[in-house]
Amino acid sequence: MCKQQLLKVLEVVEKQDTWRKKECINLIASENIMSPLAIEVFSSDMMHRYAEGLPYKRHYQGTKYVDEIETLVIDLGNKLFRCKHYDPRPISGMIANLCVFAALTEPGDKIANLKIPDGGHISHSIVGTAGVRGLKTLNMPFDSKEMNIDAEKLKKVKKEKIKLVVLGGSLFLFPHPVKEIKEVLDDTKILYDAAHVLGLIAGKRFQDPLREGADVVASSSHKTFPGPQGGMVYTDNEKISKQVAQAILPGLISNHHLFRLPSLAITLIEMLEFGEKYADQTVKNSKKLASSLYEMGFKVLCEHKGFTESHQVVVDVRENEGGKTVAETLERANIICNKNLLPWDNNEDTDDPSGIRLGVQECTRTGMNESEMEHIANLITRVIIKGEKPEKVREEVIQFKKEYSKTKYCFT
Ligand code: DSN
């Protein structure tokens, strides 16, 4: 029995590695692949150890090399994101948001957020992390044609007592109007959730939230930023950094999953070296995938704005049987994306929303450029619009993927 289960574990892992890594076109906008070097250092002895606290001020002995790596990570984070206080300890993007909520709000306070169908992440909402903190929420006005926050209309809610504005999100095509919102809500603190676009920010290809007026940035480390799964918070404000540090320990995280740190260090170095080229190609690719899908007959959002300025392409597939069926049909062809709520959906439509969301960052990391985006658009069109059997297209996808087995924009 025991042996059978062991063999099962090995078999399932091998299947995962073959299928998702070697045979699929991966278009989930919140995923990425680490570089070979980052993978190599991922399973160091640090995975077994404890190091509560800050480097060289730990609550445990035996941490001298962890201290060295974490100090390096902090220095590299400050350099890449041009900030003064980079903290890599939050163990996920949601926890990073919670650390900021714990630092800057009290239960009962009100935050301004985006509704989930407008792109807000669940952690910004009362069904998620904001609710766990006991916060109330005020949904910011959203222009679904422009796919952005309506800063003008936000002026009307200025009188509402808002403790924190949360920008950034999961459906994120265009830079948010950080500067305009700072002007409207002057001394209200702004948290910018950079999880989706962190790699583009690092590559100077999206927006620069701290320079535009955000007080603090929280993020995960594994979407457009191709690091190990985890989180981070950064700011220029010393007081906020100390409040966040207090929220981290003793508040929310004891040990901060040390095995991530060497891989994070490698990723930060590689993003300093290759980040601009990678971010640039990512945005070129998303624009090309979007325009190709549009020309082939799909209702891609925001044609009038060039479709996207991020890694994401958003398609309204109500005419094509809806988000659930389209995403499931594409999976049968080994094209992996997710169904997604769009602004005109209700929260309750989660099981079968209007849209699909495609992210090109992982394909870009494997060396795909504009011509490959056109090819992918064609494969999607054949399955969804022309009605070709997904299983037949899957064979072509497997062959196509063989050409893209290496990771680019990194040291080899
Ligand atoms: N919900 C995830 C996504 O945007 O895919 C991120 O946590």
Side-chain angles (χ1 to χ4, degrees), residues 25-30 171 173 286 289-290 293 298 300 308 310-315 317 326-327 330 335-340 355-361 376-377 380:
I25 296 173
N26 291 312
L27 295 168
I28 301 279
S30 48
L171 190 68
L173 292 173
S286 60
L289 180 63
L293 287 168
F298 280 99
V300 184
T308 179
S310 75
H311 59 305
Q312 294 186 8
V313 175
V314 181
V315 191
V317 289
V326 168
L330 287 174
I335 299 172
I336 311 294
C337 70
N338 65 279
K339 61 186 176 193
N340 219 97
I356 54 166
R357 184 188 65 173
L358 312 168
V360 301
Q361 68 291 343
I376 292 172
I380 293 173

PDB file of all heavy atoms in Angstrom, residues 25-30 171 173 286 289-290 293 298 300 308 310-315 317 326-327 330 335-340 355-361 376-377 380:
ATOM      1  N   ILE A  25       0.782  25.095 -23.989  1.00  0.00           N
ATOM      2  CA  ILE A  25       0.983  26.538 -24.147  1.00  0.00           C
ATOM      3  C   ILE A  25       0.362  27.157 -22.902  1.00  0.00           C
ATOM      4  O   ILE A  25      -0.851  27.121 -22.714  1.00  0.00           O
ATOM      5  CB  ILE A  25       0.301  27.048 -25.431  1.00  0.00           C
ATOM      6  CG1 ILE A  25       0.967  26.416 -26.662  1.00  0.00           C
ATOM      7  CG2 ILE A  25       0.374  28.575 -25.503  1.00  0.00           C
ATOM      8  CD1 ILE A  25       0.265  26.734 -27.976  1.00  0.00           C
ATOM      9  N   ASN A  26       1.208  27.675 -22.024  1.00  0.00           N
ATOM     10  CA  ASN A  26       0.746  28.156 -20.713  1.00  0.00           C
ATOM     11  C   ASN A  26       0.433  29.645 -20.766  1.00  0.00           C
ATOM     12  O   ASN A  26       1.329  30.472 -20.934  1.00  0.00           O
ATOM     13  CB  ASN A  26       1.815  27.869 -19.658  1.00  0.00           C
ATOM     14  CG  ASN A  26       1.946  26.383 -19.395  1.00  0.00           C
ATOM     15  OD1 ASN A  26       0.942  25.692 -19.192  1.00  0.00           O
ATOM     16  ND2 ASN A  26       3.167  25.871 -19.421  1.00  0.00           N
ATOM     17  N   LEU A  27      -0.847  29.954 -20.591  1.00  0.00           N
ATOM     18  CA  LEU A  27      -1.284  31.352 -20.710  1.00  0.00           C
ATOM     19  C   LEU A  27      -2.010  31.838 -19.457  1.00  0.00           C
ATOM     20  O   LEU A  27      -2.817  32.761 -19.519  1.00  0.00           O
ATOM     21  CB  LEU A  27      -2.206  31.490 -21.930  1.00  0.00           C
ATOM     22  CG  LEU A  27      -1.564  31.227 -23.307  1.00  0.00           C
ATOM     23  CD1 LEU A  27      -2.644  31.115 -24.386  1.00  0.00           C
ATOM     24  CD2 LEU A  27      -0.564  32.317 -23.681  1.00  0.00           C
ATOM     25  N   ILE A  28      -1.742  31.183 -18.318  1.00  0.00           N
ATOM     26  CA  ILE A  28      -2.319  31.682 -17.055  1.00  0.00           C
ATOM     27  C   ILE A  28      -1.535  32.945 -16.676  1.00  0.00           C
ATOM     28  O   ILE A  28      -0.307  32.895 -16.517  1.00  0.00           O
ATOM     29  CB  ILE A  28      -2.193  30.634 -15.932  1.00  0.00           C
ATOM     30  CG1 ILE A  28      -2.903  29.327 -16.303  1.00  0.00           C
ATOM     31  CG2 ILE A  28      -2.694  31.202 -14.601  1.00  0.00           C
ATOM     32  CD1 ILE A  28      -4.381  29.272 -16.116  1.00  0.00           C
ATOM     33  N   ALA A  29      -2.256  34.053 -16.497  1.00  0.00           N
ATOM     34  CA  ALA A  29      -1.581  35.350 -16.323  1.00  0.00           C
ATOM     35  C   ALA A  29      -0.866  35.495 -14.980  1.00  0.00           C
ATOM     36  O   ALA A  29      -0.087  36.418 -14.788  1.00  0.00           O
ATOM     37  CB  ALA A  29      -2.598  36.480 -16.500  1.00  0.00           C
ATOM     38  N   SER A  30      -1.129  34.574 -14.044  1.00  0.00           N
ATOM     39  CA  SER A  30      -0.498  34.694 -12.725  1.00  0.00           C
ATOM     40  C   SER A  30       0.622  33.680 -12.513  1.00  0.00           C
ATOM     41  O   SER A  30       1.094  33.505 -11.390  1.00  0.00           O
ATOM     42  CB  SER A  30      -1.558  34.532 -11.634  1.00  0.00           C
ATOM     43  OG  SER A  30      -2.354  33.401 -11.896  1.00  0.00           O
ATOM     44  N   LEU A 171      -7.162  41.599 -12.972  1.00  0.00           N
ATOM     45  CA  LEU A 171      -7.519  41.847 -14.365  1.00  0.00           C
ATOM     46  C   LEU A 171      -6.985  43.244 -14.622  1.00  0.00           C
ATOM     47  O   LEU A 171      -7.545  44.228 -14.148  1.00  0.00           O
ATOM     48  CB  LEU A 171      -9.045  41.809 -14.513  1.00  0.00           C
ATOM     49  CG  LEU A 171      -9.620  41.806 -15.906  1.00  0.00           C
ATOM     50  CD1 LEU A 171      -9.296  40.491 -16.604  1.00  0.00           C
ATOM     51  CD2 LEU A 171     -11.132  41.982 -15.867  1.00  0.00           C
ATOM     52  N   LEU A 173      -5.177  45.603 -17.414  1.00  0.00           N
ATOM     53  CA  LEU A 173      -4.694  45.840 -18.775  1.00  0.00           C
ATOM     54  C   LEU A 173      -3.881  47.121 -18.898  1.00  0.00           C
ATOM     55  O   LEU A 173      -2.959  47.205 -19.705  1.00  0.00           O
ATOM     56  CB  LEU A 173      -5.885  45.923 -19.737  1.00  0.00           C
ATOM     57  CG  LEU A 173      -6.664  44.629 -19.976  1.00  0.00           C
ATOM     58  CD1 LEU A 173      -7.911  44.897 -20.799  1.00  0.00           C
ATOM     59  CD2 LEU A 173      -5.788  43.589 -20.656  1.00  0.00           C
ATOM     60  N   SER A 286       1.823  40.564 -25.953  1.00  0.00           N
ATOM     61  CA  SER A 286       0.399  40.620 -25.575  1.00  0.00           C
ATOM     62  C   SER A 286      -0.379  41.439 -26.605  1.00  0.00           C
ATOM     63  O   SER A 286      -1.496  41.087 -26.977  1.00  0.00           O
ATOM     64  CB  SER A 286       0.222  41.188 -24.158  1.00  0.00           C
ATOM     65  OG  SER A 286       0.750  42.477 -24.078  1.00  0.00           O
ATOM     66  N   LEU A 289      -0.803  39.151 -29.662  1.00  0.00           N
ATOM     67  CA  LEU A 289      -1.806  38.097 -29.446  1.00  0.00           C
ATOM     68  C   LEU A 289      -3.210  38.702 -29.496  1.00  0.00           C
ATOM     69  O   LEU A 289      -4.120  38.161 -30.129  1.00  0.00           O
ATOM     70  CB  LEU A 289      -1.567  37.405 -28.092  1.00  0.00           C
ATOM     71  CG  LEU A 289      -2.554  36.283 -27.747  1.00  0.00           C
ATOM     72  CD1 LEU A 289      -2.473  35.127 -28.749  1.00  0.00           C
ATOM     73  CD2 LEU A 289      -2.307  35.747 -26.333  1.00  0.00           C
ATOM     74  N   ALA A 290      -3.353  39.876 -28.853  1.00  0.00           N
ATOM     75  CA  ALA A 290      -4.665  40.529 -28.814  1.00  0.00           C
ATOM     76  C   ALA A 290      -5.125  40.921 -30.218  1.00  0.00           C
ATOM     77  O   ALA A 290      -6.257  40.609 -30.624  1.00  0.00           O
ATOM     78  CB  ALA A 290      -4.594  41.762 -27.915  1.00  0.00           C
ATOM     79  N   LEU A 293      -6.021  37.812 -32.339  1.00  0.00           N
ATOM     80  CA  LEU A 293      -7.320  37.224 -31.954  1.00  0.00           C
ATOM     81  C   LEU A 293      -8.468  38.095 -32.448  1.00  0.00           C
ATOM     82  O   LEU A 293      -9.491  37.603 -32.928  1.00  0.00           O
ATOM     83  CB  LEU A 293      -7.396  37.060 -30.426  1.00  0.00           C
ATOM     84  CG  LEU A 293      -6.547  35.934 -29.815  1.00  0.00           C
ATOM     85  CD1 LEU A 293      -6.489  36.076 -28.292  1.00  0.00           C
ATOM     86  CD2 LEU A 293      -7.094  34.555 -30.195  1.00  0.00           C
ATOM     87  N   PHE A 298     -12.411  37.352 -32.613  1.00  0.00           N
ATOM     88  CA  PHE A 298     -12.749  37.368 -31.183  1.00  0.00           C
ATOM     89  C   PHE A 298     -13.048  38.788 -30.696  1.00  0.00           C
ATOM     90  O   PHE A 298     -12.499  39.770 -31.216  1.00  0.00           O
ATOM     91  CB  PHE A 298     -11.577  36.808 -30.356  1.00  0.00           C
ATOM     92  CG  PHE A 298     -11.524  35.314 -30.346  1.00  0.00           C
ATOM     93  CD1 PHE A 298     -10.651  34.638 -31.197  1.00  0.00           C
ATOM     94  CD2 PHE A 298     -12.340  34.580 -29.504  1.00  0.00           C
ATOM     95  CE1 PHE A 298     -10.602  33.257 -31.207  1.00  0.00           C
ATOM     96  CE2 PHE A 298     -12.294  33.194 -29.502  1.00  0.00           C
ATOM     97  CZ  PHE A 298     -11.420  32.524 -30.348  1.00  0.00           C
ATOM     98  N   VAL A 300     -12.013  40.937 -28.414  1.00  0.00           N
ATOM     99  CA  VAL A 300     -10.932  41.264 -27.472  1.00  0.00           C
ATOM    100  C   VAL A 300     -11.218  42.661 -26.925  1.00  0.00           C
ATOM    101  O   VAL A 300     -11.567  43.571 -27.685  1.00  0.00           O
ATOM    102  CB  VAL A 300      -9.562  41.239 -28.188  1.00  0.00           C
ATOM    103  CG1 VAL A 300      -8.440  41.471 -27.180  1.00  0.00           C
ATOM    104  CG2 VAL A 300      -9.363  39.917 -28.909  1.00  0.00           C
ATOM    105  N   THR A 308      -4.029  46.428 -24.825  1.00  0.00           N
ATOM    106  CA  THR A 308      -3.384  46.157 -23.541  1.00  0.00           C
ATOM    107  C   THR A 308      -2.046  46.892 -23.444  1.00  0.00           C
ATOM    108  O   THR A 308      -1.394  47.161 -24.461  1.00  0.00           O
ATOM    109  CB  THR A 308      -3.141  44.634 -23.372  1.00  0.00           C
ATOM    110  OG1 THR A 308      -2.485  44.389 -22.128  1.00  0.00           O
ATOM    111  CG2 THR A 308      -2.297  44.041 -24.492  1.00  0.00           C
ATOM    112  N   SER A 310      -0.238  45.632 -20.643  1.00  0.00           N
ATOM    113  CA  SER A 310       0.376  44.704 -19.685  1.00  0.00           C
ATOM    114  C   SER A 310       0.650  43.369 -20.380  1.00  0.00           C
ATOM    115  O   SER A 310       0.686  43.299 -21.599  1.00  0.00           O
ATOM    116  CB  SER A 310      -0.550  44.512 -18.480  1.00  0.00           C
ATOM    117  OG  SER A 310      -1.642  43.675 -18.834  1.00  0.00           O
ATOM    118  N   HIS A 311       0.810  42.326 -19.592  1.00  0.00           N
ATOM    119  CA  HIS A 311       1.019  40.974 -20.121  1.00  0.00           C
ATOM    120  C   HIS A 311      -0.307  40.295 -20.456  1.00  0.00           C
ATOM    121  O   HIS A 311      -0.322  39.189 -20.965  1.00  0.00           O
ATOM    122  CB  HIS A 311       1.755  40.134 -19.071  1.00  0.00           C
ATOM    123  CG  HIS A 311       0.999  40.021 -17.769  1.00  0.00           C
ATOM    124  ND1 HIS A 311       0.571  41.135 -17.068  1.00  0.00           N
ATOM    125  CD2 HIS A 311       0.560  38.946 -17.060  1.00  0.00           C
ATOM    126  CE1 HIS A 311      -0.072  40.738 -15.980  1.00  0.00           C
ATOM    127  NE2 HIS A 311      -0.096  39.418 -15.953  1.00  0.00           N
ATOM    128  N   GLN A 312      -1.416  40.955 -20.125  1.00  0.00           N
ATOM    129  CA  GLN A 312      -2.726  40.306 -20.234  1.00  0.00           C
ATOM    130  C   GLN A 312      -3.486  40.674 -21.508  1.00  0.00           C
ATOM    131  O   GLN A 312      -3.385  41.804 -21.992  1.00  0.00           O
ATOM    132  CB  GLN A 312      -3.600  40.706 -19.040  1.00  0.00           C
ATOM    133  CG  GLN A 312      -3.086  40.192 -17.716  1.00  0.00           C
ATOM    134  CD  GLN A 312      -4.042  40.478 -16.569  1.00  0.00           C
ATOM    135  OE1 GLN A 312      -5.170  40.931 -16.772  1.00  0.00           O
ATOM    136  NE2 GLN A 312      -3.584  40.214 -15.352  1.00  0.00           N
ATOM    137  N   VAL A 313      -4.262  39.704 -21.962  1.00  0.00           N
ATOM    138  CA  VAL A 313      -5.214  39.910 -23.058  1.00  0.00           C
ATOM    139  C   VAL A 313      -6.553  39.416 -22.510  1.00  0.00           C
ATOM    140  O   VAL A 313      -6.620  38.328 -21.940  1.00  0.00           O
ATOM    141  CB  VAL A 313      -4.815  39.066 -24.294  1.00  0.00           C
ATOM    142  CG1 VAL A 313      -5.855  39.176 -25.385  1.00  0.00           C
ATOM    143  CG2 VAL A 313      -3.430  39.482 -24.793  1.00  0.00           C
ATOM    144  N   VAL A 314      -7.593  40.233 -22.670  1.00  0.00           N
ATOM    145  CA  VAL A 314      -8.881  39.845 -22.100  1.00  0.00           C
ATOM    146  C   VAL A 314      -9.914  39.736 -23.224  1.00  0.00           C
ATOM    147  O   VAL A 314     -10.039  40.654 -24.044  1.00  0.00           O
ATOM    148  CB  VAL A 314      -9.340  40.861 -21.029  1.00  0.00           C
ATOM    149  CG1 VAL A 314     -10.679  40.423 -20.427  1.00  0.00           C
ATOM    150  CG2 VAL A 314      -8.281  40.978 -19.934  1.00  0.00           C
ATOM    151  N   VAL A 315     -10.602  38.615 -23.257  1.00  0.00           N
ATOM    152  CA  VAL A 315     -11.542  38.349 -24.349  1.00  0.00           C
ATOM    153  C   VAL A 315     -12.925  38.079 -23.768  1.00  0.00           C
ATOM    154  O   VAL A 315     -13.083  37.264 -22.859  1.00  0.00           O
ATOM    155  CB  VAL A 315     -11.080  37.117 -25.181  1.00  0.00           C
ATOM    156  CG1 VAL A 315     -11.901  37.011 -26.464  1.00  0.00           C
ATOM    157  CG2 VAL A 315      -9.598  37.198 -25.514  1.00  0.00           C
ATOM    158  N   VAL A 317     -16.040  36.223 -24.214  1.00  0.00           N
ATOM    159  CA  VAL A 317     -16.375  35.027 -25.005  1.00  0.00           C
ATOM    160  C   VAL A 317     -17.837  34.598 -24.810  1.00  0.00           C
ATOM    161  O   VAL A 317     -18.165  33.427 -24.964  1.00  0.00           O
ATOM    162  CB  VAL A 317     -15.405  33.854 -24.687  1.00  0.00           C
ATOM    163  CG1 VAL A 317     -14.021  34.123 -25.249  1.00  0.00           C
ATOM    164  CG2 VAL A 317     -15.328  33.569 -23.189  1.00  0.00           C
ATOM    165  N   VAL A 326     -15.149  27.783 -22.845  1.00  0.00           N
ATOM    166  CA  VAL A 326     -13.995  28.120 -23.696  1.00  0.00           C
ATOM    167  C   VAL A 326     -12.686  27.671 -23.009  1.00  0.00           C
ATOM    168  O   VAL A 326     -11.830  27.033 -23.641  1.00  0.00           O
ATOM    169  CB  VAL A 326     -13.977  29.632 -24.008  1.00  0.00           C
ATOM    170  CG1 VAL A 326     -12.647  30.049 -24.627  1.00  0.00           C
ATOM    171  CG2 VAL A 326     -15.126  29.980 -24.954  1.00  0.00           C
ATOM    172  N   ALA A 327     -12.546  27.988 -21.708  1.00  0.00           N
ATOM    173  CA  ALA A 327     -11.298  27.616 -21.010  1.00  0.00           C
ATOM    174  C   ALA A 327     -11.141  26.094 -20.955  1.00  0.00           C
ATOM    175  O   ALA A 327     -10.047  25.555 -21.149  1.00  0.00           O
ATOM    176  CB  ALA A 327     -11.292  28.217 -19.606  1.00  0.00           C
ATOM    177  N   LEU A 330     -10.236  24.783 -24.468  1.00  0.00           N
ATOM    178  CA  LEU A 330      -8.823  25.051 -24.780  1.00  0.00           C
ATOM    179  C   LEU A 330      -7.905  24.103 -24.014  1.00  0.00           C
ATOM    180  O   LEU A 330      -6.879  23.671 -24.536  1.00  0.00           O
ATOM    181  CB  LEU A 330      -8.481  26.521 -24.468  1.00  0.00           C
ATOM    182  CG  LEU A 330      -9.067  27.546 -25.455  1.00  0.00           C
ATOM    183  CD1 LEU A 330      -8.803  28.968 -24.973  1.00  0.00           C
ATOM    184  CD2 LEU A 330      -8.492  27.358 -26.868  1.00  0.00           C
ATOM    185  N   ILE A 335      -4.012  24.154 -24.368  1.00  0.00           N
ATOM    186  CA  ILE A 335      -3.823  25.607 -24.293  1.00  0.00           C
ATOM    187  C   ILE A 335      -4.466  26.026 -22.971  1.00  0.00           C
ATOM    188  O   ILE A 335      -5.685  25.893 -22.793  1.00  0.00           O
ATOM    189  CB  ILE A 335      -4.477  26.320 -25.494  1.00  0.00           C
ATOM    190  CG1 ILE A 335      -3.826  25.846 -26.794  1.00  0.00           C
ATOM    191  CG2 ILE A 335      -4.346  27.847 -25.349  1.00  0.00           C
ATOM    192  CD1 ILE A 335      -4.525  26.329 -28.062  1.00  0.00           C
ATOM    193  N   ILE A 336      -3.623  26.482 -22.036  1.00  0.00           N
ATOM    194  CA  ILE A 336      -4.083  26.637 -20.654  1.00  0.00           C
ATOM    195  C   ILE A 336      -4.292  28.117 -20.323  1.00  0.00           C
ATOM    196  O   ILE A 336      -3.346  28.920 -20.348  1.00  0.00           O
ATOM    197  CB  ILE A 336      -3.052  26.040 -19.659  1.00  0.00           C
ATOM    198  CG1 ILE A 336      -2.621  24.620 -20.072  1.00  0.00           C
ATOM    199  CG2 ILE A 336      -3.604  26.070 -18.234  1.00  0.00           C
ATOM    200  CD1 ILE A 336      -3.704  23.566 -20.016  1.00  0.00           C
ATOM    201  N   CYS A 337      -5.545  28.481 -20.037  1.00  0.00           N
ATOM    202  CA  CYS A 337      -5.833  29.853 -19.607  1.00  0.00           C
ATOM    203  C   CYS A 337      -6.932  29.782 -18.557  1.00  0.00           C
ATOM    204  O   CYS A 337      -7.350  28.690 -18.170  1.00  0.00           O
ATOM    205  CB  CYS A 337      -6.281  30.707 -20.797  1.00  0.00           C
ATOM    206  SG  CYS A 337      -7.904  30.249 -21.411  1.00  0.00           S
ATOM    207  N   ASN A 338      -7.402  30.910 -18.069  1.00  0.00           N
ATOM    208  CA  ASN A 338      -8.493  30.827 -17.093  1.00  0.00           C
ATOM    209  C   ASN A 338      -9.694  31.666 -17.492  1.00  0.00           C
ATOM    210  O   ASN A 338      -9.565  32.701 -18.143  1.00  0.00           O
ATOM    211  CB  ASN A 338      -8.023  31.199 -15.674  1.00  0.00           C
ATOM    212  CG  ASN A 338      -7.594  32.639 -15.553  1.00  0.00           C
ATOM    213  OD1 ASN A 338      -6.469  32.977 -15.916  1.00  0.00           O
ATOM    214  ND2 ASN A 338      -8.485  33.482 -15.056  1.00  0.00           N
ATOM    215  N   LYS A 339     -10.854  31.136 -17.072  1.00  0.00           N
ATOM    216  CA  LYS A 339     -12.103  31.906 -17.215  1.00  0.00           C
ATOM    217  C   LYS A 339     -12.017  33.087 -16.263  1.00  0.00           C
ATOM    218  O   LYS A 339     -11.364  32.994 -15.208  1.00  0.00           O
ATOM    219  CB  LYS A 339     -13.305  31.013 -16.873  1.00  0.00           C
ATOM    220  CG  LYS A 339     -13.274  30.490 -15.461  1.00  0.00           C
ATOM    221  CD  LYS A 339     -14.378  29.496 -15.194  1.00  0.00           C
ATOM    222  CE  LYS A 339     -14.180  28.962 -13.778  1.00  0.00           C
ATOM    223  NZ  LYS A 339     -14.936  27.815 -13.444  1.00  0.00           N
ATOM    224  N   ASN A 340     -12.646  34.186 -16.608  1.00  0.00           N
ATOM    225  CA  ASN A 340     -12.510  35.379 -15.755  1.00  0.00           C
ATOM    226  C   ASN A 340     -13.768  36.236 -15.766  1.00  0.00           C
ATOM    227  O   ASN A 340     -14.387  36.440 -16.813  1.00  0.00           O
ATOM    228  CB  ASN A 340     -11.344  36.235 -16.274  1.00  0.00           C
ATOM    229  CG  ASN A 340     -10.540  36.830 -15.145  1.00  0.00           C
ATOM    230  OD1 ASN A 340      -9.508  36.267 -14.768  1.00  0.00           O
ATOM    231  ND2 ASN A 340     -10.994  37.930 -14.582  1.00  0.00           N
ATOM    232  N   GLY A 355     -15.702  36.027 -19.558  1.00  0.00           N
ATOM    233  CA  GLY A 355     -14.432  36.195 -20.249  1.00  0.00           C
ATOM    234  C   GLY A 355     -13.411  35.099 -20.035  1.00  0.00           C
ATOM    235  O   GLY A 355     -13.572  34.204 -19.203  1.00  0.00           O
ATOM    236  N   ILE A 356     -12.346  35.221 -20.833  1.00  0.00           N
ATOM    237  CA  ILE A 356     -11.109  34.489 -20.523  1.00  0.00           C
ATOM    238  C   ILE A 356      -9.994  35.519 -20.431  1.00  0.00           C
ATOM    239  O   ILE A 356     -10.056  36.588 -21.047  1.00  0.00           O
ATOM    240  CB  ILE A 356     -10.750  33.401 -21.566  1.00  0.00           C
ATOM    241  CG1 ILE A 356     -10.701  33.983 -22.988  1.00  0.00           C
ATOM    242  CG2 ILE A 356     -11.701  32.230 -21.474  1.00  0.00           C
ATOM    243  CD1 ILE A 356     -10.040  33.060 -24.004  1.00  0.00           C
ATOM    244  N   ARG A 357      -8.991  35.189 -19.631  1.00  0.00           N
ATOM    245  CA  ARG A 357      -7.819  36.063 -19.455  1.00  0.00           C
ATOM    246  C   ARG A 357      -6.597  35.271 -19.901  1.00  0.00           C
ATOM    247  O   ARG A 357      -6.381  34.146 -19.473  1.00  0.00           O
ATOM    248  CB  ARG A 357      -7.712  36.433 -17.968  1.00  0.00           C
ATOM    249  CG  ARG A 357      -6.624  37.404 -17.627  1.00  0.00           C
ATOM    250  CD  ARG A 357      -6.465  37.559 -16.110  1.00  0.00           C
ATOM    251  NE  ARG A 357      -6.003  36.304 -15.504  1.00  0.00           N
ATOM    252  CZ  ARG A 357      -5.651  36.168 -14.223  1.00  0.00           C
ATOM    253  NH1 ARG A 357      -5.742  37.189 -13.398  1.00  0.00           N
ATOM    254  NH2 ARG A 357      -5.225  35.016 -13.757  1.00  0.00           N
ATOM    255  N   LEU A 358      -5.810  35.871 -20.776  1.00  0.00           N
ATOM    256  CA  LEU A 358      -4.609  35.210 -21.292  1.00  0.00           C
ATOM    257  C   LEU A 358      -3.386  36.036 -20.889  1.00  0.00           C
ATOM    258  O   LEU A 358      -3.394  37.262 -21.034  1.00  0.00           O
ATOM    259  CB  LEU A 358      -4.660  35.133 -22.825  1.00  0.00           C
ATOM    260  CG  LEU A 358      -5.962  34.614 -23.449  1.00  0.00           C
ATOM    261  CD1 LEU A 358      -5.972  34.877 -24.951  1.00  0.00           C
ATOM    262  CD2 LEU A 358      -6.109  33.127 -23.188  1.00  0.00           C
ATOM    263  N   GLY A 359      -2.348  35.380 -20.407  1.00  0.00           N
ATOM    264  CA  GLY A 359      -1.103  36.080 -20.055  1.00  0.00           C
ATOM    265  C   GLY A 359       0.050  35.506 -20.862  1.00  0.00           C
ATOM    266  O   GLY A 359       0.205  34.286 -20.946  1.00  0.00           O
ATOM    267  N   VAL A 360       0.859  36.383 -21.456  1.00  0.00           N
ATOM    268  CA  VAL A 360       1.901  35.904 -22.382  1.00  0.00           C
ATOM    269  C   VAL A 360       3.296  35.837 -21.759  1.00  0.00           C
ATOM    270  O   VAL A 360       4.273  35.534 -22.431  1.00  0.00           O
ATOM    271  CB  VAL A 360       1.966  36.797 -23.648  1.00  0.00           C
ATOM    272  CG1 VAL A 360       0.638  36.813 -24.376  1.00  0.00           C
ATOM    273  CG2 VAL A 360       2.411  38.221 -23.299  1.00  0.00           C
ATOM    274  N   GLN A 361       3.403  36.152 -20.455  1.00  0.00           N
ATOM    275  CA  GLN A 361       4.729  36.275 -19.839  1.00  0.00           C
ATOM    276  C   GLN A 361       5.526  34.970 -19.868  1.00  0.00           C
ATOM    277  O   GLN A 361       6.733  34.988 -20.120  1.00  0.00           O
ATOM    278  CB  GLN A 361       4.604  36.832 -18.411  1.00  0.00           C
ATOM    279  CG  GLN A 361       3.949  35.933 -17.377  1.00  0.00           C
ATOM    280  CD  GLN A 361       2.463  35.709 -17.601  1.00  0.00           C
ATOM    281  OE1 GLN A 361       1.812  36.440 -18.322  1.00  0.00           O
ATOM    282  NE2 GLN A 361       1.920  34.668 -16.980  1.00  0.00           N
ATOM    283  N   ILE A 376      -0.338  31.149 -32.039  1.00  0.00           N
ATOM    284  CA  ILE A 376      -1.192  30.740 -30.904  1.00  0.00           C
ATOM    285  C   ILE A 376      -2.627  31.235 -31.128  1.00  0.00           C
ATOM    286  O   ILE A 376      -3.594  30.507 -30.884  1.00  0.00           O
ATOM    287  CB  ILE A 376      -0.612  31.268 -29.563  1.00  0.00           C
ATOM    288  CG1 ILE A 376       0.707  30.548 -29.245  1.00  0.00           C
ATOM    289  CG2 ILE A 376      -1.601  31.095 -28.419  1.00  0.00           C
ATOM    290  CD1 ILE A 376       1.473  31.106 -28.055  1.00  0.00           C
ATOM    291  N   ALA A 377      -2.746  32.473 -31.610  1.00  0.00           N
ATOM    292  CA  ALA A 377      -4.090  33.010 -31.884  1.00  0.00           C
ATOM    293  C   ALA A 377      -4.809  32.123 -32.900  1.00  0.00           C
ATOM    294  O   ALA A 377      -6.006  31.833 -32.777  1.00  0.00           O
ATOM    295  CB  ALA A 377      -3.982  34.446 -32.398  1.00  0.00           C
ATOM    296  N   ILE A 380      -6.003  28.926 -31.217  1.00  0.00           N
ATOM    297  CA  ILE A 380      -7.191  29.202 -30.388  1.00  0.00           C
ATOM    298  C   ILE A 380      -8.429  29.361 -31.288  1.00  0.00           C
ATOM    299  O   ILE A 380      -9.505  28.835 -31.007  1.00  0.00           O
ATOM    300  CB  ILE A 380      -6.965  30.475 -29.526  1.00  0.00           C
ATOM    301  CG1 ILE A 380      -5.861  30.220 -28.476  1.00  0.00           C
ATOM    302  CG2 ILE A 380      -8.257  30.937 -28.852  1.00  0.00           C
ATOM    303  CD1 ILE A 380      -5.436  31.448 -27.674  1.00  0.00           C
TER     304      ILE A 380
END
